[in-house]
Amino acid sequence: MTQVLHWARAHGFWKALPASIEPYLRDVQLVTIAVPKELASQTVTLFMLRTEYDSAPYHVGDLVRYAPHDAAHDETATGSPVDLALFHGLTGCVATLCQKGDGACFARYRQGAFTTAHGQQVSLTTGHIVHGGARIDPVSLLPVH
């Protein structure tokens, strides 16, 4: 986390977030999600609050979805201004949709990255919407046909 914080600061990121490293080391958990090789050539690293990770850790091989914290999650935002800055400005939720080995469950979902508002597929390489790509319902996370 120290290396990530220094890199972000050196590149002009996280200006509205705490300057001290202590809240990051205490409260933020780096998590890595692998995606199918046809969607990206590398893993994706994200940030969760350590308390959220501890209460619902995911396991290697599970199918998960990440969503940044937003106004819909405000009821879980508590603490000091530093806590709230990390909650709103950096971290998100990783929800387990299917446990490893549950092929029937995996078959129900599309893998990849999707916009939170409209469920449009996003390229993990460019960050842009994939025109003609898969779509999911942003609430149920199931495919839209």
Side-chain angles (χ1 to χ4, degrees):
M1 193 65 220
T2 302
Q3 184 178 0
V4 171
L5 175 64
H6 289 307
W7 179 92
R9 294 287 184 189
H11 289 84
F13 298 108
W14 301 2
K15 292 176 185 173
L17 297 177
S20 170
I21 194 163
E22 284 78 19
Y24 298 92
L25 297 177
R26 181 187 66 234
D27 298 331
V28 176
Q29 176 74 41
L30 289 167
V31 295
T32 300
I33 298 173
V35 295
K37 294 191 184 330
E38 63 271 11
L39 297 176
S41 59
Q42 57 194 9
T43 59
V44 177
T45 300
L46 310 160
F47 304 94
M48 291 179 70
L49 288 176
R50 191 173 302 277
T51 54
E52 290 181 334
Y53 178 81
D54 290 343
S55 69
Y58 63 95
H59 302 95
V60 173
D62 289 348
L63 178 62
V64 299
R65 283 280 192 266
Y66 172 84
H69 288 136
D70 58 19
H73 298 98
D74 276 348
E75 71 279 356
T76 60
T78 60
S80 71
V82 167
D83 296 330
L84 294 174
L86 291 174
F87 181 89
H88 288 291
L90 183 64
T91 63
C93 301
V94 175
T96 300
L97 300 179
C98 304
Q99 293 181 335
K100 177 182 179 178
D102 187 345
C105 181
F106 269 72
R108 295 179 61 210
Y109 295 96
R110 296 291 172 266
Q111 294 192 41
F114 303 88
T115 63
T116 56
H118 302 290
Q120 296 169 285
Q121 187 175 12
V122 175
S123 167
L124 289 167
T125 304
T126 67
H128 299 295
I129 291 174
V130 176
H131 296 288
R135 293 208 45 211
I136 64 168
D137 178 291
V139 176
S140 70
L141 306 178
L142 293 169
V144 174
H145 299 286

